[in-house]
Amino acid sequence: MYVCSCHAVTEQRVREEIQDGASTPREIARGCGAGTDCGSCVRRIQALLGHHGARPCPTARLAARLGLPDAA
């Protein structure tokens, strides 16, 4: 699934950035460009970061709405 349509960045690519140590949306952007154009994917990136424990998701409701299971 694409997270960032502007730069054709997949969810898997974002997960790889997180595994490589990215812990903020800015670090994800630096690694693969996601979130640097229109910005509509930044909330999804934040949710993925929160799910992987790198940085808390803005809200539990957001994670649920995006279909991410609880990280706990």
Short mmCIF file of all heavy atoms in Angstrom, two decimals:
data_model
loop_
_atom_site.label_atom_id
_atom_site.label_comp_id
_atom_site.label_asym_id
_atom_site.label_seq_id
_atom_site.Cartn_x
_atom_site.Cartn_y
_atom_site.Cartn_z
N MET A 1 0.84 -1.17 0.00
CA MET A 1 0.00 0.00 0.00
C MET A 1 0.89 1.25 0.00
O MET A 1 1.88 1.31 0.71
CB MET A 1 -0.90 -0.01 1.24
CG MET A 1 -1.63 1.29 1.44
SD MET A 1 -2.46 1.48 3.02
CE MET A 1 -3.80 0.36 2.79
N TYR A 2 0.49 2.23 -0.80
CA TYR A 2 1.24 3.48 -0.84
C TYR A 2 0.85 4.35 0.35
O TYR A 2 -0.31 4.51 0.67
CB TYR A 2 0.99 4.24 -2.13
CG TYR A 2 1.73 3.65 -3.30
CD1 TYR A 2 1.08 2.83 -4.22
CD2 TYR A 2 3.07 3.90 -3.47
CE1 TYR A 2 1.76 2.27 -5.27
CE2 TYR A 2 3.77 3.34 -4.53
CZ TYR A 2 3.11 2.53 -5.43
OH TYR A 2 3.80 1.97 -6.48
N VAL A 3 1.87 4.90 0.99
CA VAL A 3 1.68 5.86 2.06
C VAL A 3 1.76 7.25 1.45
O VAL A 3 0.95 8.12 1.75
CB VAL A 3 2.74 5.68 3.17
CG1 VAL A 3 2.69 6.82 4.16
CG2 VAL A 3 2.57 4.35 3.86
N CYS A 4 2.73 7.46 0.59
CA CYS A 4 2.96 8.75 -0.04
C CYS A 4 2.82 8.60 -1.55
O CYS A 4 3.68 8.01 -2.20
CB CYS A 4 4.36 9.26 0.31
SG CYS A 4 4.81 10.81 -0.50
N SER A 5 1.72 9.13 -2.08
CA SER A 5 1.48 9.05 -3.52
C SER A 5 2.40 9.97 -4.30
O SER A 5 2.80 9.67 -5.41
CB SER A 5 0.03 9.40 -3.84
OG SER A 5 -0.83 8.48 -3.22
N CYS A 6 2.74 11.10 -3.71
CA CYS A 6 3.58 12.08 -4.41
C CYS A 6 4.95 11.50 -4.78
O CYS A 6 5.51 11.83 -5.83
CB CYS A 6 3.77 13.33 -3.55
SG CYS A 6 2.25 14.23 -3.21
N HIS A 7 5.50 10.67 -3.89
CA HIS A 7 6.83 10.13 -4.11
C HIS A 7 6.82 8.60 -4.24
O HIS A 7 7.89 7.97 -4.19
CB HIS A 7 7.77 10.56 -2.98
CG HIS A 7 7.98 12.04 -2.96
ND1 HIS A 7 8.83 12.67 -3.82
CD2 HIS A 7 7.43 13.01 -2.19
CE1 HIS A 7 8.80 13.97 -3.59
NE2 HIS A 7 7.95 14.20 -2.61
N ALA A 8 5.64 8.02 -4.40
CA ALA A 8 5.48 6.57 -4.57
C ALA A 8 6.20 5.78 -3.47
O ALA A 8 6.92 4.83 -3.75
CB ALA A 8 5.95 6.14 -5.96
N VAL A 9 5.98 6.18 -2.23
CA VAL A 9 6.60 5.51 -1.09
C VAL A 9 5.57 4.58 -0.46
O VAL A 9 4.47 5.00 -0.11
CB VAL A 9 7.11 6.53 -0.04
CG1 VAL A 9 7.70 5.81 1.16
CG2 VAL A 9 8.13 7.46 -0.67
N THR A 10 5.96 3.32 -0.34
CA THR A 10 5.05 2.32 0.22
C THR A 10 5.16 2.26 1.75
O THR A 10 6.13 2.74 2.34
CB THR A 10 5.36 0.93 -0.33
OG1 THR A 10 6.69 0.55 0.09
CG2 THR A 10 5.25 0.88 -1.85
N GLU A 11 4.15 1.63 2.34
CA GLU A 11 4.17 1.42 3.78
C GLU A 11 5.40 0.60 4.18
O GLU A 11 6.04 0.87 5.19
CB GLU A 11 2.89 0.70 4.21
CG GLU A 11 2.72 0.60 5.69
CD GLU A 11 1.35 0.09 6.07
OE1 GLU A 11 0.35 0.71 5.68
OE2 GLU A 11 1.31 -0.95 6.76
N GLN A 12 5.74 -0.39 3.36
CA GLN A 12 6.93 -1.21 3.64
C GLN A 12 8.19 -0.36 3.67
O GLN A 12 9.05 -0.54 4.53
CB GLN A 12 7.07 -2.33 2.61
CG GLN A 12 8.28 -3.21 2.82
CD GLN A 12 8.28 -3.90 4.18
OE1 GLN A 12 7.23 -4.32 4.68
NE2 GLN A 12 9.43 -4.02 4.80
N ARG A 13 8.30 0.59 2.76
CA ARG A 13 9.49 1.47 2.72
C ARG A 13 9.57 2.32 3.98
O ARG A 13 10.64 2.51 4.55
CB ARG A 13 9.42 2.37 1.48
CG ARG A 13 10.58 3.31 1.35
CD ARG A 13 11.86 2.54 1.01
NE ARG A 13 12.92 3.48 0.72
CZ ARG A 13 13.91 3.76 1.57
NH1 ARG A 13 14.00 3.14 2.71
NH2 ARG A 13 14.83 4.63 1.25
N VAL A 14 8.42 2.82 4.45
CA VAL A 14 8.40 3.60 5.69
C VAL A 14 8.81 2.71 6.86
O VAL A 14 9.61 3.12 7.71
CB VAL A 14 7.02 4.23 5.94
CG1 VAL A 14 6.94 4.87 7.32
CG2 VAL A 14 6.71 5.27 4.86
N ARG A 15 8.31 1.48 6.89
CA ARG A 15 8.69 0.54 7.95
C ARG A 15 10.20 0.27 7.93
O ARG A 15 10.83 0.15 8.98
CB ARG A 15 7.91 -0.76 7.83
CG ARG A 15 6.44 -0.62 8.14
CD ARG A 15 5.71 -1.94 7.95
NE ARG A 15 4.28 -1.77 7.92
CZ ARG A 15 3.50 -1.73 8.97
NH1 ARG A 15 4.01 -1.85 10.17
NH2 ARG A 15 2.20 -1.58 8.86
N GLU A 16 10.78 0.18 6.75
CA GLU A 16 12.23 -0.02 6.64
C GLU A 16 12.99 1.17 7.21
O GLU A 16 14.00 1.00 7.90
CB GLU A 16 12.62 -0.25 5.18
CG GLU A 16 12.17 -1.59 4.64
CD GLU A 16 12.33 -1.71 3.13
OE1 GLU A 16 12.90 -0.79 2.50
OE2 GLU A 16 11.87 -2.72 2.59
N GLU A 17 12.50 2.37 6.94
CA GLU A 17 13.14 3.57 7.50
C GLU A 17 13.08 3.53 9.03
O GLU A 17 14.05 3.87 9.70
CB GLU A 17 12.45 4.85 6.98
CG GLU A 17 12.70 5.14 5.53
CD GLU A 17 14.16 5.47 5.23
OE1 GLU A 17 14.85 6.06 6.09
OE2 GLU A 17 14.61 5.14 4.13
N ILE A 18 11.95 3.10 9.57
CA ILE A 18 11.80 3.00 11.03
C ILE A 18 12.76 1.96 11.58
O ILE A 18 13.44 2.19 12.58
CB ILE A 18 10.34 2.68 11.40
CG1 ILE A 18 9.42 3.86 11.02
CG2 ILE A 18 10.21 2.36 12.89
CD1 ILE A 18 7.94 3.54 11.08
N GLN A 19 12.86 0.82 10.91
CA GLN A 19 13.79 -0.23 11.35
C GLN A 19 15.24 0.25 11.28
O GLN A 19 16.08 -0.18 12.07
CB GLN A 19 13.60 -1.48 10.52
CG GLN A 19 12.32 -2.20 10.82
CD GLN A 19 12.07 -3.36 9.86
OE1 GLN A 19 12.80 -3.58 8.90
NE2 GLN A 19 11.01 -4.11 10.13
N ASP A 20 15.52 1.16 10.35
CA ASP A 20 16.87 1.70 10.21
C ASP A 20 17.15 2.84 11.19
O ASP A 20 18.21 3.45 11.14
CB ASP A 20 17.12 2.17 8.78
CG ASP A 20 17.23 1.01 7.80
OD1 ASP A 20 17.43 -0.14 8.25
OD2 ASP A 20 17.12 1.26 6.58
N GLY A 21 16.17 3.15 12.05
CA GLY A 21 16.40 4.13 13.10
C GLY A 21 15.63 5.43 13.01
O GLY A 21 15.75 6.27 13.91
N ALA A 22 14.84 5.63 11.97
CA ALA A 22 14.05 6.87 11.88
C ALA A 22 13.01 6.87 13.01
O ALA A 22 12.36 5.85 13.26
CB ALA A 22 13.35 6.96 10.53
N SER A 23 12.89 8.00 13.68
CA SER A 23 11.94 8.07 14.80
C SER A 23 11.03 9.29 14.74
O SER A 23 10.26 9.52 15.67
CB SER A 23 12.69 8.04 16.12
OG SER A 23 13.56 9.16 16.22
N THR A 24 11.10 10.05 13.67
CA THR A 24 10.23 11.21 13.47
C THR A 24 9.81 11.28 12.00
O THR A 24 10.51 10.73 11.14
CB THR A 24 10.93 12.53 13.84
OG1 THR A 24 12.00 12.75 12.91
CG2 THR A 24 11.45 12.52 15.27
N PRO A 25 8.71 11.97 11.71
CA PRO A 25 8.33 12.15 10.30
C PRO A 25 9.43 12.83 9.49
O PRO A 25 9.65 12.49 8.33
CB PRO A 25 7.08 13.02 10.38
CG PRO A 25 6.48 12.68 11.70
CD PRO A 25 7.67 12.47 12.62
N ARG A 26 10.15 13.75 10.10
CA ARG A 26 11.24 14.44 9.39
C ARG A 26 12.35 13.46 9.00
O ARG A 26 12.91 13.54 7.90
CB ARG A 26 11.81 15.55 10.26
CG ARG A 26 12.84 16.38 9.53
CD ARG A 26 13.16 17.62 10.27
NE ARG A 26 11.97 18.48 10.14
CZ ARG A 26 11.87 19.70 10.57
NH1 ARG A 26 12.86 20.25 11.20
NH2 ARG A 26 10.78 20.40 10.40
N GLU A 27 12.67 12.52 9.88
CA GLU A 27 13.70 11.52 9.55
C GLU A 27 13.21 10.57 8.47
O GLU A 27 14.00 10.16 7.61
CB GLU A 27 14.10 10.76 10.81
CG GLU A 27 14.88 11.61 11.78
CD GLU A 27 15.16 10.92 13.10
OE1 GLU A 27 14.64 9.80 13.34
OE2 GLU A 27 15.90 11.50 13.91
N ILE A 28 11.93 10.24 8.48
CA ILE A 28 11.35 9.43 7.40
C ILE A 28 11.49 10.19 6.09
O ILE A 28 11.91 9.64 5.07
CB ILE A 28 9.87 9.11 7.68
CG1 ILE A 28 9.69 8.28 8.96
CG2 ILE A 28 9.22 8.44 6.47
CD1 ILE A 28 10.13 6.85 8.89
N ALA A 29 11.14 11.47 6.11
CA ALA A 29 11.22 12.30 4.91
C ALA A 29 12.64 12.37 4.38
O ALA A 29 12.87 12.29 3.17
CB ALA A 29 10.70 13.71 5.21
N ARG A 30 13.60 12.51 5.27
CA ARG A 30 15.00 12.58 4.87
C ARG A 30 15.43 11.28 4.19
O ARG A 30 16.21 11.30 3.24
CB ARG A 30 15.86 12.83 6.11
CG ARG A 30 17.14 13.56 5.79
CD ARG A 30 17.92 13.97 7.02
NE ARG A 30 17.13 14.81 7.92
CZ ARG A 30 17.05 14.63 9.25
NH1 ARG A 30 17.72 13.67 9.84
NH2 ARG A 30 16.32 15.43 9.98
N GLY A 31 14.91 10.17 4.66
CA GLY A 31 15.32 8.88 4.13
C GLY A 31 14.68 8.49 2.81
O GLY A 31 15.32 7.88 1.96
N CYS A 32 13.39 8.86 2.63
CA CYS A 32 12.72 8.38 1.42
C CYS A 32 11.86 9.44 0.72
O CYS A 32 11.27 9.15 -0.31
CB CYS A 32 11.86 7.16 1.74
SG CYS A 32 10.52 7.48 2.91
N GLY A 33 11.77 10.63 1.29
CA GLY A 33 11.01 11.70 0.66
C GLY A 33 9.54 11.77 1.03
O GLY A 33 8.87 12.74 0.69
N ALA A 34 9.03 10.76 1.70
CA ALA A 34 7.61 10.76 2.07
C ALA A 34 7.30 11.94 2.98
O ALA A 34 8.02 12.24 3.91
CB ALA A 34 7.24 9.46 2.79
N GLY A 35 6.21 12.63 2.66
CA GLY A 35 5.77 13.75 3.47
C GLY A 35 6.37 15.08 3.11
O GLY A 35 6.14 16.07 3.80
N THR A 36 7.12 15.14 2.02
CA THR A 36 7.80 16.39 1.68
C THR A 36 7.10 17.20 0.60
O THR A 36 7.56 18.28 0.25
CB THR A 36 9.25 16.12 1.22
OG1 THR A 36 9.22 15.28 0.06
CG2 THR A 36 10.06 15.48 2.32
N ASP A 37 5.99 16.68 0.08
CA ASP A 37 5.31 17.42 -0.99
C ASP A 37 3.99 17.96 -0.47
O ASP A 37 3.97 19.00 0.17
CB ASP A 37 5.11 16.52 -2.21
CG ASP A 37 4.93 17.30 -3.49
OD1 ASP A 37 4.64 18.51 -3.44
OD2 ASP A 37 5.05 16.69 -4.57
N CYS A 38 2.89 17.26 -0.65
CA CYS A 38 1.59 17.80 -0.24
C CYS A 38 1.32 17.64 1.25
O CYS A 38 0.51 18.34 1.82
CB CYS A 38 0.46 17.17 -1.06
SG CYS A 38 -0.01 15.50 -0.55
N GLY A 39 1.99 16.67 1.89
CA GLY A 39 1.85 16.49 3.34
C GLY A 39 0.67 15.64 3.78
O GLY A 39 0.50 15.40 4.97
N SER A 40 -0.13 15.15 2.85
CA SER A 40 -1.31 14.39 3.25
C SER A 40 -0.95 13.04 3.89
O SER A 40 -1.79 12.45 4.58
CB SER A 40 -2.24 14.17 2.06
OG SER A 40 -1.64 13.33 1.10
N CYS A 41 0.26 12.57 3.73
CA CYS A 41 0.66 11.27 4.29
C CYS A 41 1.29 11.38 5.68
O CYS A 41 1.54 10.37 6.32
CB CYS A 41 1.62 10.58 3.34
SG CYS A 41 3.15 11.49 3.05
N VAL A 42 1.52 12.58 6.15
CA VAL A 42 2.25 12.75 7.41
C VAL A 42 1.51 12.11 8.58
O VAL A 42 2.13 11.48 9.44
CB VAL A 42 2.56 14.24 7.68
CG1 VAL A 42 3.15 14.44 9.06
CG2 VAL A 42 3.50 14.77 6.62
N ARG A 43 0.19 12.20 8.61
CA ARG A 43 -0.56 11.58 9.71
C ARG A 43 -0.41 10.06 9.68
O ARG A 43 -0.29 9.43 10.71
CB ARG A 43 -2.02 11.99 9.66
CG ARG A 43 -2.18 13.47 10.02
CD ARG A 43 -3.59 13.89 10.03
NE ARG A 43 -4.26 13.24 11.15
CZ ARG A 43 -5.46 13.53 11.56
NH1 ARG A 43 -6.14 14.46 10.94
NH2 ARG A 43 -6.01 12.89 12.57
N ARG A 44 -0.41 9.48 8.50
CA ARG A 44 -0.20 8.04 8.37
C ARG A 44 1.21 7.67 8.83
O ARG A 44 1.41 6.67 9.52
CB ARG A 44 -0.43 7.60 6.93
CG ARG A 44 -0.19 6.16 6.66
CD ARG A 44 -1.27 5.30 7.22
NE ARG A 44 -0.99 3.89 6.93
CZ ARG A 44 -1.67 2.90 7.41
NH1 ARG A 44 -2.72 3.13 8.17
NH2 ARG A 44 -1.35 1.68 7.13
N ILE A 45 2.19 8.46 8.48
CA ILE A 45 3.57 8.22 8.91
C ILE A 45 3.66 8.30 10.43
O ILE A 45 4.29 7.46 11.06
CB ILE A 45 4.54 9.21 8.22
CG1 ILE A 45 4.63 8.91 6.72
CG2 ILE A 45 5.91 9.18 8.88
CD1 ILE A 45 5.32 9.99 5.92
N GLN A 46 3.00 9.31 11.03
CA GLN A 46 2.99 9.42 12.49
C GLN A 46 2.36 8.19 13.13
O GLN A 46 2.85 7.69 14.14
CB GLN A 46 2.22 10.67 12.92
CG GLN A 46 2.93 11.95 12.64
CD GLN A 46 2.07 13.16 12.94
OE1 GLN A 46 0.87 13.16 12.69
NE2 GLN A 46 2.69 14.20 13.48
N ALA A 47 1.29 7.71 12.54
CA ALA A 47 0.63 6.52 13.07
C ALA A 47 1.54 5.31 12.98
O ALA A 47 1.62 4.50 13.92
CB ALA A 47 -0.69 6.27 12.34
N LEU A 48 2.24 5.15 11.87
CA LEU A 48 3.17 4.03 11.73
C LEU A 48 4.31 4.14 12.73
O LEU A 48 4.73 3.14 13.33
CB LEU A 48 3.73 3.96 10.30
CG LEU A 48 2.73 3.49 9.25
CD1 LEU A 48 3.26 3.78 7.85
CD2 LEU A 48 2.44 2.02 9.42
N LEU A 49 4.82 5.33 12.94
CA LEU A 49 5.87 5.54 13.94
C LEU A 49 5.36 5.15 15.32
O LEU A 49 6.04 4.45 16.07
CB LEU A 49 6.34 6.98 13.93
CG LEU A 49 7.25 7.38 12.78
CD1 LEU A 49 7.33 8.89 12.66
CD2 LEU A 49 8.63 6.78 12.97
N GLY A 50 4.16 5.59 15.66
CA GLY A 50 3.58 5.26 16.96
C GLY A 50 3.36 3.77 17.12
O GLY A 50 3.60 3.19 18.18
N HIS A 51 2.92 3.13 16.06
CA HIS A 51 2.69 1.69 16.09
C HIS A 51 3.99 0.92 16.35
O HIS A 51 3.99 -0.10 17.01
CB HIS A 51 2.06 1.23 14.77
CG HIS A 51 1.86 -0.24 14.68
ND1 HIS A 51 0.93 -0.90 15.44
CD2 HIS A 51 2.48 -1.17 13.94
CE1 HIS A 51 1.00 -2.20 15.16
NE2 HIS A 51 1.93 -2.38 14.24
N HIS A 52 5.08 1.42 15.84
CA HIS A 52 6.38 0.76 16.01
C HIS A 52 7.14 1.28 17.23
O HIS A 52 8.31 0.96 17.41
CB HIS A 52 7.22 0.92 14.74
CG HIS A 52 6.70 0.09 13.61
ND1 HIS A 52 6.97 -1.24 13.49
CD2 HIS A 52 5.87 0.41 12.59
CE1 HIS A 52 6.34 -1.71 12.42
NE2 HIS A 52 5.67 -0.73 11.87
N GLY A 53 6.49 2.09 18.03
CA GLY A 53 7.10 2.55 19.28
C GLY A 53 8.13 3.64 19.12
O GLY A 53 8.76 4.05 20.08
N ALA A 54 8.31 4.14 17.90
CA ALA A 54 9.33 5.16 17.68
C ALA A 54 8.90 6.52 18.22
O ALA A 54 9.68 7.23 18.80
CB ALA A 54 9.65 5.28 16.19
N ARG A 55 7.65 6.84 18.05
CA ARG A 55 7.11 8.11 18.54
C ARG A 55 5.61 7.90 18.70
O ARG A 55 4.98 7.33 17.84
CB ARG A 55 7.39 9.21 17.53
CG ARG A 55 6.98 10.57 18.03
CD ARG A 55 7.47 11.64 17.08
NE ARG A 55 7.14 12.93 17.65
CZ ARG A 55 7.44 14.07 17.10
NH1 ARG A 55 8.08 14.09 15.96
NH2 ARG A 55 7.12 15.20 17.66
N PRO A 56 5.04 8.37 19.78
CA PRO A 56 3.62 8.11 20.00
C PRO A 56 2.76 8.64 18.86
O PRO A 56 3.00 9.71 18.33
CB PRO A 56 3.31 8.87 21.29
CG PRO A 56 4.62 9.12 21.93
CD PRO A 56 5.64 9.16 20.84
N CYS A 57 1.77 7.85 18.52
CA CYS A 57 0.78 8.28 17.55
C CYS A 57 0.01 9.45 18.16
O CYS A 57 -0.21 9.47 19.37
CB CYS A 57 -0.17 7.12 17.27
SG CYS A 57 -1.38 7.48 16.02
N PRO A 58 -0.38 10.44 17.36
CA PRO A 58 -1.09 11.58 17.92
C PRO A 58 -2.30 11.19 18.77
O PRO A 58 -2.52 11.77 19.80
CB PRO A 58 -1.52 12.37 16.69
CG PRO A 58 -0.60 11.94 15.61
CD PRO A 58 -0.20 10.53 15.93
N THR A 59 -3.07 10.21 18.34
CA THR A 59 -4.19 9.75 19.13
C THR A 59 -4.44 8.28 18.86
O THR A 59 -4.15 7.77 17.78
CB THR A 59 -5.49 10.50 18.81
OG1 THR A 59 -5.89 10.17 17.48
CG2 THR A 59 -5.34 12.01 18.96
N ALA A 60 -4.98 7.59 19.85
CA ALA A 60 -5.34 6.19 19.66
C ALA A 60 -6.45 6.08 18.61
O ALA A 60 -6.49 5.11 17.84
CB ALA A 60 -5.78 5.58 20.99
N ARG A 61 -7.34 7.07 18.58
CA ARG A 61 -8.42 7.05 17.59
C ARG A 61 -7.88 7.11 16.17
O ARG A 61 -8.39 6.45 15.28
CB ARG A 61 -9.35 8.24 17.82
CG ARG A 61 -10.56 7.91 18.60
CD ARG A 61 -11.58 9.01 18.61
NE ARG A 61 -11.15 10.24 18.00
CZ ARG A 61 -11.63 11.42 18.26
NH1 ARG A 61 -12.57 11.55 19.15
NH2 ARG A 61 -11.20 12.50 17.66
N LEU A 62 -6.83 7.90 15.96
CA LEU A 62 -6.22 7.99 14.64
C LEU A 62 -5.66 6.63 14.23
O LEU A 62 -5.89 6.17 13.11
CB LEU A 62 -5.12 9.04 14.60
CG LEU A 62 -4.28 9.10 13.31
CD1 LEU A 62 -5.15 9.40 12.11
CD2 LEU A 62 -3.16 10.11 13.45
N ALA A 63 -4.95 5.97 15.11
CA ALA A 63 -4.40 4.66 14.80
C ALA A 63 -5.52 3.67 14.47
O ALA A 63 -5.41 2.90 13.51
CB ALA A 63 -3.57 4.16 15.98
N ALA A 64 -6.60 3.71 15.23
CA ALA A 64 -7.72 2.82 14.98
C ALA A 64 -8.36 3.13 13.62
O ALA A 64 -8.68 2.22 12.86
CB ALA A 64 -8.75 2.93 16.10
N ARG A 65 -8.52 4.41 13.32
CA ARG A 65 -9.14 4.81 12.05
C ARG A 65 -8.28 4.38 10.87
O ARG A 65 -8.78 4.05 9.81
CB ARG A 65 -9.37 6.31 12.05
CG ARG A 65 -10.20 6.77 10.88
CD ARG A 65 -10.60 8.21 10.96
NE ARG A 65 -9.45 9.06 11.13
CZ ARG A 65 -9.44 10.17 11.84
NH1 ARG A 65 -10.52 10.57 12.45
NH2 ARG A 65 -8.34 10.90 11.95
N LEU A 66 -6.96 4.37 11.06
CA LEU A 66 -6.05 3.95 9.99
C LEU A 66 -5.87 2.45 9.95
O LEU A 66 -5.13 1.93 9.12
CB LEU A 66 -4.69 4.64 10.17
CG LEU A 66 -4.72 6.15 9.97
CD1 LEU A 66 -3.37 6.75 10.33
CD2 LEU A 66 -5.11 6.51 8.55
N GLY A 67 -6.54 1.74 10.85
CA GLY A 67 -6.49 0.28 10.82
C GLY A 67 -5.25 -0.33 11.44
O GLY A 67 -4.93 -1.47 11.17
N LEU A 68 -4.56 0.42 12.29
CA LEU A 68 -3.37 -0.11 12.94
C LEU A 68 -3.75 -0.72 14.28
O LEU A 68 -4.47 -0.12 15.06
CB LEU A 68 -2.34 1.01 13.18
CG LEU A 68 -1.78 1.65 11.92
CD1 LEU A 68 -0.94 2.86 12.28
CD2 LEU A 68 -0.98 0.65 11.12
N PRO A 69 -3.28 -1.93 14.56
CA PRO A 69 -3.59 -2.54 15.86
C PRO A 69 -2.84 -1.82 16.98
O PRO A 69 -1.89 -1.08 16.72
CB PRO A 69 -3.09 -3.97 15.69
CG PRO A 69 -2.06 -3.90 14.62
CD PRO A 69 -2.47 -2.77 13.72
N ASP A 70 -3.29 -2.04 18.20
CA ASP A 70 -2.61 -1.46 19.35
C ASP A 70 -1.18 -1.95 19.39
O ASP A 70 -0.90 -3.12 19.17
CB ASP A 70 -3.30 -1.85 20.66
CG ASP A 70 -4.64 -1.16 20.82
OD1 ASP A 70 -4.82 -0.09 20.21
OD2 ASP A 70 -5.48 -1.69 21.54
N ALA A 71 -0.25 -1.04 19.69
CA ALA A 71 1.17 -1.41 19.77
C ALA A 71 1.49 -2.16 21.04
O ALA A 71 2.52 -2.80 21.15
CB ALA A 71 2.03 -0.15 19.66
N ALA A 72 0.62 -2.08 22.03
CA ALA A 72 0.87 -2.72 23.33
C ALA A 72 0.80 -4.20 23.31
O ALA A 72 0.66 -4.95 22.51
CB ALA A 72 -0.13 -2.21 24.34
#
